Amino acid sequence: MKIEGDKIKGVNKSEMIGRLLHLGATVVEFNSNNGWGFGGAVGKRYTLKNNIVVTIGEACFRHTGTTKFIRVDYDGKYGVIDLHQTQTGFAKVYNFVNENI
């Protein structure tokens, strides 16, 4: 974990998942791909009791492979935070969760 001042600037995937589980997140695995393994997404959704849902997964495309992503849903609003699952993207989610729990 990389910390600068009072903000976290870098978090890896296992640290992010550990924080969500520590907060009591409910975990649901999902796979919305078709029978050929593309056309949807696969991953895990972490649901916290305060209407925050963090999705960590991969979108699967027919001819271009997969794209990793992090998405946060909060109170009916959503947004893709990162399309490559970078430490900066995980840090944004980590800080958002900490500010809104």
Side-chain angles (χ1 to χ4, degrees):
M1 189 174 303
K2 181 179 173 186
I3 302 171
E4 289 180 16
D6 62 342
K7 287 286 186 182
I8 296 167
K9 299 292 184 182
V11 176
N12 65 37
K13 184 176 179 179
S14 64
E15 290 170 328
M16 180 75 242
I17 292 170
R19 178 67 176 149
L20 294 171
L21 294 175
H22 177 74
L23 292 171
T26 304
V27 183
V28 176
E29 291 187 38
F30 68 92
N31 184 345
S32 63
N33 287 324
N34 61 21
W36 293 287
F38 62 85
V42 62
K44 293 183 181 180
R45 283 195 183 92
Y46 301 85
T47 305
L48 297 167
K49 60 184 170 188
N50 58 346
N51 294 328
I52 294 178
V53 179
V54 177
T55 304
I56 301 173
E58 294 182 2
C60 304
F61 305 100
R62 182 174 185 176
H63 297 291
T64 59
T66 61
T67 299
K68 294 181 178 185
F69 67 91
I70 309 165
R71 172 183 163 152
V72 175
D73 297 287
Y74 179 58
D75 229 10
K77 300 175 186 171
Y78 64 91
V80 174
I81 303 298
D82 193 278
L83 286 176
H84 303 288
Q85 293 187 6
T86 63
Q87 287 195 357
T88 304
F90 282 119
K92 287 180 189 177
V93 175
Y94 197 97
N95 287 320
F96 178 81
V97 168
N98 285 341
E99 292 167 6
N100 291 285
I101 53 170

